[in-house]
Amino acid sequence: QVQLVESGGGLVQAGGSLRLSCVASGSINSRNVMGWYRQAPGRQRELVARMTSGSRISTADSVKGRFTISRDNAKNTVYLQMNSLKPEDTAVYYCNAYDSGMDYWGKGTLVTVSP
């Protein structure tokens, strides 16, 4: 069906930056929502940011002013620019796509922020 491939995760120091990318392939509709979720140990998976193909954006309060989501509809690609990273941002980050009532997920990419 729809496949999501993530890249850009890694290890950074507090205050540093990282950029995540996610490419969607397969039979995804041109009208969709793509975004990023994260899950830290012992915590529920939470929304980080999402963006519709019509450029509507939702961003979690905890990352507003630090993270920026963007997308290239022609490439079915969504990005997450993460600045001023904190140790609390350490988590597995998952790419998500929502289309016609169906949720699709990437395998997850680990982001580790050292103190």
Side-chain angles (χ1 to χ4, degrees):
Q1 185 61 293
V2 176
Q3 295 82 44
L4 304 175
V5 180
E6 303 150 320
S7 62
L11 172 65
V12 296
Q13 294 186 33
S17 298
L18 207 61
R19 192 191 196 208
L20 305 182
S21 300
C22 174
V23 181
S25 62
S27 57
I28 188 169
N29 196 283
S30 60
R31 293 182 177 269
N32 59 68
V33 184
M34 296 184 68
W36 298 91
Y37 292 71
R38 67 185 182 186
Q39 187 167 21
R43 302 189 64 176
Q44 296 290 315
R45 186 176 300 187
E46 64 177 351
L47 172 69
V48 178
R50 62 185 175 212
M51 189 173 184
T52 72
S53 52
S55 301
R56 294 280 293 179
I57 295 174
S58 297
T59 306
D61 289 340
S62 60
V63 303
K64 283 183 178 177
R66 300 189 297 120
F67 293 8
T68 302
I69 190 170
S70 62
R71 60 184 291 170
D72 185 335
N73 291 343
K75 298 180 179 179
N76 285 328
T77 301
V78 64
Y79 308 92
L80 186 68
Q81 179 66 46
M82 303 184 291
N83 298 325
S84 301
L85 283 161
K86 305 174 180 179
E88 293 81 1
D89 296 318
T90 296
V92 177
Y93 284 70
Y94 297 92
C95 182
N96 169 262
Y98 179 82
D99 168 36
S100 301
M102 298 287 294
D103 264 311
Y104 304 93
W105 297 92
K107 66 179 182 180
T109 299
L110 179 63
V111 172
T112 303
V113 184
S114 61

